[in-house]
Amino acid sequence: MKRILSALDYGIKGSLGIWKGALIIWLASFVFMGLVKIPLRGALSAGVGFSMATERLADGIDMEILGDIGIDRLGSILFTTAGSATLASLFSFLLNIFLSGGVFDYLKDTTNKFSFPVFFSASARNFKSFFSIKLLSGLLLSVLLVFIYLFIVLFNLSASLYIKIIVLALAIVLSLLYIQILAVTDYARAKRALNPGIKGTKALEMGFKRVFSNILPFFLATVFVSAIQLVVVILAIRGIIGWVPRSGFSLFALFVATQLLYLVNVHLKIWRFGTVTDLMRQISVNPSCRQKNVIQEPCTEGGTAE
């Protein structure tokens, strides 16, 4: 327990220390989403116009309005919407990978002062390896999510109590495995940030080996931070859904609140990164890697460069 508390403390300090990096992540996401909305808004304006159509569609599907729009314009709107969503997902994925390289580089030594040139340099240096780590682990996590969803559906459809119990148990096991894979992904990226010479696939292999051989501390720490993050997201969604802006000021306040909540979510995610990074330092065999608040390079299981 002391090990976990120490890692959580390190993660919090790292998250607070890299507040400038968190602002970069927020700003990059904000600008990017703004650029994605421009073609989508243009397509909607061209297809629907500035009439009462948008207000009527806001209340639900109106077949009369859809008929007035026409098949060609409706197809254009749907195509633009799908294309924008695809591009948004792709570039968001790449942007997350790029900026996480700078975050993990900072978390390896939180005693250093944050530097923008160092942050972006580390982001570029780690991008290729982080891409392979995120791609492979992302595919695995996606498969787990699909099976979890299928088990939940089967649980709701099944009339047999025996089958419900089995399906629920399988869904819980896969959910726990999902959390552990998150820790593996974070470990692999932290390992790569500490050892620029190793490939992403090798770092991921080491992540599986070390995290699953030290299941309890990684699992409990990741569950704790992820649970807090989930609670914050749920409360934020409930608050935003119930918030109906009735003036320009209330609309602006809603916008500010959503951006602040996104920034809080970024800090919580960095907290998890820092926690896993410190746990990696604690389980390392290399004594020089255990120095307080700093992880020296090379920091490897065997004490030699990999």
Side-chain angles (χ1 to χ4, degrees), residues 45-81:
S45 298
V48 179
F50 297 95
S51 63
M52 295 295 293
T54 53
E55 296 183 12
R56 292 175 61 178
L57 287 174
D59 298 327
I61 299 298
D62 191 317
M63 297 306 298
E64 181 181 351
I65 294 297
L66 294 180
D68 292 339
I69 293 175
I71 298 297
D72 293 337
R73 285 190 294 176
L74 181 60
S76 176
I77 293 174
L78 294 176
F79 178 79
T80 304
T81 302

Side-chain angles (χ1 to χ4, degrees), residues 16-38:
L16 295 177
I18 197 176
W19 64 270
K20 293 181 181 178
L23 285 177
I24 292 174
I25 296 174
W26 166 79
L27 181 61
S29 300
F30 179 76
V31 173
F32 167 71
M33 292 308 297
L35 294 175
V36 170
K37 289 179 181 178
I38 293 176

Side-chain angles (χ1 to χ4, degrees), residues 212-277:
F212 278 91
S213 61
N214 297 270
I215 291 180
L216 194 58
F218 282 102
F219 177 77
L220 292 178
T222 305
V223 164
F224 180 77
V225 179
S226 298
I228 293 178
Q229 189 175 3
L230 180 62
V231 169
V232 171
V233 170
I234 292 176
L235 293 177
I237 292 176
R238 292 186 61 181
I240 292 174
I241 291 177
W243 190 342
V244 180
R246 302 184 183 279
S247 65
F249 177 77
S250 60
L251 183 62
F252 175 75
L254 177 61
F255 168 76
V256 173
T258 54
Q259 298 307 309
L260 287 176
L261 287 171
Y262 177 80
L263 191 58
V264 169
N265 187 60
V266 170
H267 275 287
L268 290 174
K269 186 177 292 187
I270 295 176
W271 181 17
R272 193 189 80 211
F273 295 165
T275 300
V276 173
T277 298

